[in-house]
Amino acid sequence: MSVHQLFFRQADRTPDAIALDGMNGTVTYRQLSERSRQIASLLIGNGVVPGDVVGIAMDRSVDVIAGYLAILSVGALYFPIDLNQPRERLEFLLKDAKPSVVLLTRQSADRLPAGVPAAYVEEADRLAPTGLEMSGRSHPQGIACLLYTSGSTGVPKGVLIPDAGIVRLVTESDFIPFGSHLRFLLHSQLPFDASTLEIFAPLLNGGTCVLFHGENIATLHEFREAIRRFRVNTVFFGPAIFNLAIEENPDVLEGLAYLIQGGEALSPNHIRKCLELFPHMHLVNGYGPTETTTFATTYKIPRNLAAGATSVPIGKPIARTQTYIFDESGKLITDDRPGELLIGGSGVALGYLNRPEMTAERFVPDPFSTDPQARLYRTGDLCRWLPDGNLDFINRLDFQVKIRGQRVEPGEIEAAMQQHSAIGQSVVIARGQSADKYLVGFYTLARGQTCTAAELRQHLQRHLPTYLVPEKLIALETMPATRNGKVDRRALPDDVPVVQISSRQPTSPLEKDLAELWKRSLGVEQIGLDDCFFELGGSSLGMMRLCTQIQQRTNRFVSVNTFLSATTVGKMADILARPQQSNDSSLIAMLKPGDGEPLFCAPGHGGHPLFFRPLSQRLTWPGPIYGLQFPGLDGTSAPAQSVEEMAARFIAEIRSLAPDQRYHLIGYSFGGLITFEMGRRMRADGDEIGSTILLDAFTSTAGRSRPPIARIAIHVKRFLRKSARARFQHIKPHRNADQEIPESAVTLMPHIEQVNQLNRRAYDNYRPGPHDGDVTLIQAMERPDWIEFCIVDPTGGWGDFVKGKLEIKQCPGNHLTMMEEPHLPQLADILNQSLSVREMEPALPS
């Protein structure tokens, strides 16, 4: 079966399972299937037919994934496009690929070159899911996607990735246990082949693909927050990111069950440290050029990695993949002698788009197959067999290198350098080891010309994607040469550029702190306020490390984009010296504004309104839905000290946003107290309140503890009633409590602990006043042990304070799970019914 057929079969099996998760909430397999069918209708309406190339130019989102599935289901192949790359390169790729249409958002329309046919994904909103039996269509040649890699001739080359290659990668291999338990983080750039694994490993096996919201170059803080907030258990990291995490902040990896690495040689020392810190984590080394569909071989790293090991094997072939080593004369090697690695099987690409000569050179007939069309891919990698049957990577046979997992052909960069009229000769090499490898560009000037390294960098940034721009550019009087006139790469000088230290020196404590971090990162003895991090030899990996260290030193989050706008000590100090700009409003829109009355939702202790996003997506409410963000989470606004203070702040903002309207209020847990206080105050002030709904909210006086002996008796009686297996299952979650507690309420901001502590105090101190309107209380049906140890008021403590009607309803799940799958749809149904009844009732006279 093909990729899209496997997905739609999975969607039929588990329609209500979570397919996608992330900052914009959850999407079930049913919803993703329906959205892909809508987009398929859009593509068919735009004339897409089997065999077409369809570009897709969007960031990581639901519509990107649905778009991939839609493109495959109509028999086309998808071509991911980065609209942020240099215009000249973007135009080349579009001219080379010739997509029949490019799928994108209207917001990005101005970034697409003129003359390229576009289909706007928003237009699919009004279309019915296609009635076409999509599972019956596939690309005529079995191609799934087109991915571009760096080219040795100076131009990128498009690799035609087979559908069968993706299927064998994620459904027939066993380098990790593929299944519905997977929560795989999609953080790779979409045109990078690792994204294939991150998307389809979960989606073809009933798992969840978690959409990373950070930048393409993200900080460790952003990775840590995503892994914890969305309970990610599986990631693919290049060795550079992995090593940085182990060195700077190993907590980033906390909670992961499977960590896959690839793209570059691994560091055994970092591997050992990781296994010491996380003894239950499974580490895998994956190897494979783009031309063999992400991975061709994998190696499950043993926990007893040899103490003297200086490298990590690349392993054995995965499913439906064959590997061979040949010597220079073309003879097969079966012993431990080194030779070129060739790869065969269903993962081998169909060649390079529009490059027949290059295809013939790299994709050669497979002499071991009975299929005359079968090909072996010549990797250009020097490898050898180990005694245990694993493969060991030694080196490249040419100048190609991998930089942080991305393939780099120095020839492409050299060609771009020589497009500058002032450049005479140019040569690009890689220096550093494995994950710390970086590019250095040496150049000479044409006679009578001038060009600084900064000017040359600006030129390259206009022509090349970021990962191809050398981190160091060094001008030479002459290029060293061998006797036969070729560039002598071994004679190139050290790559420490000579830079005049700026005269302005750090004076304030903040400037001095930052200067110390700059000096340590760059390995220099002096630094001025105006010295550029990159001009002094800083690398992008060093930038990521520095962002982490700045946050640790100053307790201020610094994104990669912020750093790129402030690459000197002086500029960074200016930014950090200013108060952080907070959002003036605590009201966060959950859905597109509607025409009806507004609905406001207060979250629990964590205080971030995105907690309500999954629920809001299931409500049929016709008006706008807003979440209330607790003050203090942005690190600039002062946290509230009491329920009454928070209620007063929110009321002022609600009235300012929507004056003279009827308001509807929902509050979960601690947020229920705020909602109750808002509702009673607003009614007392004459506002029209249509609904006040509390989700499993209790007053602090709602229960009193049973005597200690009674509490113990309840616990023992319940425990002894269980079977031996059930007793173990009862104990087991408590042994791993941190992993068992859902984290859907975890905030994005580092100030959550301060807000939480204040909220706990506010909860204990809150004493409700009378509410003269009606209130609905929706209680969770299941109670954790600690609730059973209390004598709880069945009205949640609200019975003495609600002077109107107190309606109590029951929802499946416990206090935490009622807001999550599989109980979320039932909670939404109860709310939809309650809200529709309230909406139809006339407003009470003030």
Side-chain angles (χ1 to χ4, degrees):
M1 296 181 75
S2 62
V3 168
H4 64 281
Q5 289 172 331
L6 288 169
F7 169 78
F8 288 118
R9 184 177 70 173
Q10 184 65 52
D12 288 340
R13 288 175 175 171
T14 58
D16 295 321
I18 302 301
L20 304 177
D21 199 357
M23 286 295 297
N24 291 325
T26 59
V27 175
T28 66
Y29 274 81
R30 178 189 289 111
Q31 291 169 327
L32 183 57
S33 173
E34 290 176 355
R35 183 57 175 168
S36 70
R37 292 173 186 269
Q38 278 186 307
I39 297 175
S41 295
L42 175 66
L43 296 175
I44 293 171
N46 277 268
V48 175
V49 298
D52 278 358
V53 175
V54 176
I56 184 163
M58 290 184 284
D59 296 330
R60 292 179 288 261
S61 63
V62 174
D63 278 342
V64 159
I65 310 302
Y68 282 4
L69 294 166
I71 293 166
L72 293 173
S73 66
V74 298
L77 64 90
Y78 66 86
F79 161 40
I81 302 169
D82 178 9
L83 291 177
N84 295 316
Q85 63 189 310
R87 189 76 171 185
E88 182 177 309
R89 183 183 175 91
L90 175 60
E91 291 175 349
F92 168 82
L93 296 182
L94 290 168
K95 183 178 179 181
D96 190 60
K98 296 182 176 62
S100 61
V101 69
V102 174
L103 187 64
L104 75 167
T105 64
R106 289 194 179 277
Q107 187 177 4
S108 302
D110 61 341
R111 291 191 285 163
L112 192 67
V116 178
Y120 300 113
V121 71
E122 294 90 345
E123 295 179 359
D125 296 348
R126 57 182 175 79
L127 300 178
T130 180
L132 175 69
E133 183 52 49
M134 295 187 292
S135 62
R137 281 198 180 189
S138 292
H139 190 281
Q141 295 175 275
I143 305 171
C145 62
L146 173 66
L147 302 178
Y148 276 82
T149 66
S150 181
S152 58
T153 60
V155 295
K157 53 183 183 289
V159 184
L160 298 166
I161 303 296
D163 190 289
I166 299 175
V167 172
R168 74 69 163 104
L169 174 70
V170 301
T171 67
E172 301 172 9
S173 301
D174 63 354
F175 52 90
I176 61 171
F178 294 97
S180 59
H181 65 282
L182 283 184
R183 292 184 65 85
F184 212 128
L185 184 66
L186 170 58
H187 71 90
S188 296
Q189 297 180 47
L190 295 175
F192 182 34
D193 62 350
S195 66
T196 305
L197 175 68
E198 295 168 344
I199 294 169
F200 294 113
L203 292 186
L204 301 194
N205 293 283
T208 301
C209 176
V210 177
L211 305 177
F212 184 60
H213 66 277
E215 305 290 337
N216 285 332
I217 301 178
T219 64
L220 293 181
H221 172 79
E222 289 172 303
F223 281 125
R224 178 179 179 273
E225 290 297 323
I227 290 170
R228 292 193 176 192
R229 176 177 172 79
F230 300 110
R231 307 191 303 284
V232 172
N233 58 28
T234 308
V235 299
F236 171 86
F237 276 160
I241 300 296
F242 171 76
N243 293 354
L244 181 63
I246 292 296
E247 293 167 6
E248 296 292 335
N249 189 1
D251 286 351
V252 169
L253 309 179
E254 184 69 47
L256 294 178
Y258 310 102
L259 196 156
I260 308 166
Q261 296 187 68
E264 300 164 76
L266 273 56
S267 163
N269 290 336
H270 290 84
I271 293 292
R272 292 190 194 95
K273 186 174 180 181
C274 180
L275 291 174
E276 290 173 5
L277 293 170
F278 307 105
H280 302 295
M281 188 184 297
H282 300 273
L283 301 183
V284 176
N285 187 16
Y287 162 87
T290 301
E291 289 86 346
T292 60
T293 313
T294 310
F295 289 155
T297 68
T298 57
Y299 179 69
K300 298 178 182 178
I301 301 174
R303 304 198 179 283
N304 58 344
L305 187 66
T310 58
S311 64
V312 178
I314 59 174
K316 298 178 181 179
I318 65 171
R320 288 199 281 153
T321 303
Q322 300 84 43
T323 54
Y324 309 95
I325 296 179
F326 289 86
D327 64 17
E328 293 180 354
S329 63
K331 294 182 180 179
L332 187 67
I333 296 176
T334 57
D335 54 25
D336 62 355
R337 289 174 297 147
E340 182 181 8
L341 177 65
L342 277 74
I343 299 172
S346 59
V348 175
L350 278 71
Y352 299 118
L353 181 67
N354 304 327
R355 306 285 192 279
E357 293 182 0
M358 190 177 293
T359 297
E361 176 188 353
R362 306 302 297 184
F363 296 85
V364 298
D366 184 352
F368 307 103
S369 175
T370 57
D371 181 0
Q373 301 300 317
R375 293 290 182 268
L376 297 179
Y377 173 68
R378 297 186 58 185
T379 65
D381 289 337
L382 190 66
C383 298
R384 66 186 179 99
W385 293 109
L386 296 174
D388 60 3
N390 284 297
L391 284 164
D392 185 33
F393 174 84
I394 301 174
N395 211 334
R396 284 290 302 173
L397 293 170
D398 55 18
F399 298 128
Q400 183 192 107
V401 294
K402 284 285 190 79
I403 302 292
R404 286 178 287 285
Q406 299 273 29
R407 180 193 300 181
V408 173
E409 293 280 4
E412 181 175 357
I413 307 169
E414 292 165 1
M417 292 172 72
Q418 289 174 349
Q419 289 178 19
H420 193 295
S421 58
I423 302 301
Q425 287 181 285
S426 64
V427 62
V428 175
I429 63 172
R431 284 192 171 156
Q433 297 298 317
S434 61
D436 293 322
K437 198 173 291 181
Y438 59 92
L439 295 173
V440 185
F442 295 92
Y443 65 95
T444 62
L445 297 173
R447 181 172 297 180
Q449 298 292 320
T450 60
C451 179
T452 66
E455 291 169 342
L456 180 55
R457 182 179 302 281
Q458 291 174 357
H459 163 79
L460 293 176
Q461 289 171 339
R462 291 193 295 269
H463 292 80
L464 297 173
T466 302
Y467 75 92
L468 289 180
V469 178
E471 290 171 353
K472 300 182 181 180
L473 294 168
I474 300 173
L476 302 176
E477 291 290 336
T478 59
M479 197 70 71
T482 62
R483 290 182 179 179
N484 59 11
K486 294 184 178 180
V487 174
D488 187 352
R489 294 172 181 263
R490 292 177 296 181
L492 290 166
D494 292 340
D495 48 65
V496 179
V498 179
V499 178
Q500 182 69 40
I501 300 298
S502 67
S503 58
R504 288 206 311 144
Q505 292 298 302
T507 56
S508 72
L510 176 59
E511 290 172 347
K512 290 178 179 178
D513 279 350
L514 293 176
E516 286 301 316
L517 295 179
W518 250 251
K519 287 191 287 187
R520 190 186 310 160
S521 178
L522 295 168
V524 297
E525 295 182 359
Q526 289 185 325
I527 191 80
L529 289 178
D530 303 315
D531 296 319
C532 175
F533 176 79
F534 294 107
E535 290 181 4
L536 286 176
S539 65
S540 57
L541 187 61
M543 171 184 61
M544 292 179 62
R545 181 180 284 111
L546 200 49
C547 286
T548 299
Q549 293 171 346
I550 292 171
Q551 181 176 341
Q552 292 170 345
R553 181 72 65 91
T554 66
N555 199 31
R556 286 279 295 272
F557 170 61
V558 175
S559 70
V560 168
N561 280 345
T562 299
F563 189 93
L564 292 174
S565 68
T567 57
T568 68
V569 170
K571 289 181 179 178
M572 183 60 70
D574 288 343
I575 288 177
L576 296 179
R578 302 178 207 144
Q580 282 181 285
Q581 297 299 313
S582 65
N583 187 350
D584 291 337
S585 175
S586 297
L587 306 180
I588 309 298
M590 294 285 98
L591 296 175
K592 296 177 182 178
D595 297 327
E597 297 167 345
L599 172 64
F600 299 93
C601 307
H605 274 90
H608 200 286
L610 289 177
F611 176 86
F612 264 102
R613 184 85 182 201
L615 178 60
S616 67
Q617 291 176 316
R618 292 180 176 271
L619 298 181
T620 56
W621 187 250
I625 302 177
Y626 297 93
L628 305 178
Q629 177 170 301
F630 290 2
L633 288 182
D634 56 6
T636 61
S637 57
Q641 304 293 319
S642 66
V643 169
E644 292 84 352
E645 182 183 346
M646 270 185 273
R649 289 195 193 187
F650 291 146
I651 289 171
E653 290 199 43
I654 287 172
R655 289 171 175 163
S656 175
L657 175 75
D660 301 324
Q661 293 199 35
R662 181 161 71 164
Y663 307 106
H664 301 263
L665 309 173
I666 297 177
Y668 165 73
S669 189
F670 175 69
L673 277 65
I674 301 169
T675 293
F676 183 87
E677 183 65 19
M678 290 168 60
R680 78 176 202 87
R681 287 189 179 203
M682 295 174 80
R683 282 187 61 86
D685 291 342
D687 290 312
E688 295 184 9
I689 304 297
S691 307
T692 302
I693 301 178
L694 314 182
L695 304 180
D696 218 40
F698 298 86
T699 68
S700 61
T701 57
R704 58 183 178 86
S705 295
R706 297 179 186 273
I709 294 178
R711 294 169 63 188
I712 294 172
I714 290 173
H715 189 77
V716 171
K717 180 185 286 188
R718 292 181 69 253
F719 185 72
L720 292 178
R721 282 203 301 261
K722 298 175 180 286
S723 64
R725 180 180 180 83
R727 291 176 199 171
F728 174 75
Q729 294 298 327
H730 179 80
I731 294 173
K732 184 178 177 182
H734 294 79
R735 294 171 57 197
N736 298 290
D738 289 342
Q739 296 181 11
E740 296 290 326
I741 297 174
E743 297 179 354
S744 55
V746 174
T747 180
L748 299 177
M749 313 305 294
H751 307 277
I752 180 175
E753 189 56 37
Q754 178 190 17
V755 172
N756 261 328
Q757 290 175 0
L758 291 172
N759 288 348
R760 293 187 190 103
R761 191 181 309 155
Y763 174 81
D764 292 337
N765 294 333
Y766 178 60
R767 296 296 180 265
H771 190 307
D772 65 2
D774 296 343
V775 174
T776 299
L777 173 63
I778 301 176
Q779 294 180 331
M781 297 171 66
E782 302 170 13
R783 289 289 164 218
D785 291 347
W786 69 268
I787 291 290
E788 294 191 20
F789 295 158
C790 299
I791 302 172
V792 180
D793 180 347
T795 71
W798 304 111
D800 294 335
F801 306 104
V802 177
K803 302 310 177 183
K805 178 183 176 183
L806 176 61
E807 184 177 14
I808 300 177
K809 299 182 177 182
Q810 301 289 319
C811 174
N814 61 36
H815 184 71
L816 293 170
T817 62
M818 68 183 291
M819 296 288 285
E820 299 182 343
E821 298 289 349
H823 307 307
L824 190 61
Q826 292 155 288
L827 175 60
D829 289 343
I830 296 171
L831 279 172
N832 285 328
Q833 181 182 13
S834 299
L835 287 166
S836 64
V837 170
R838 297 287 180 190
E839 185 187 15
M840 289 185 291
E841 291 177 354
L844 294 175
S846 57

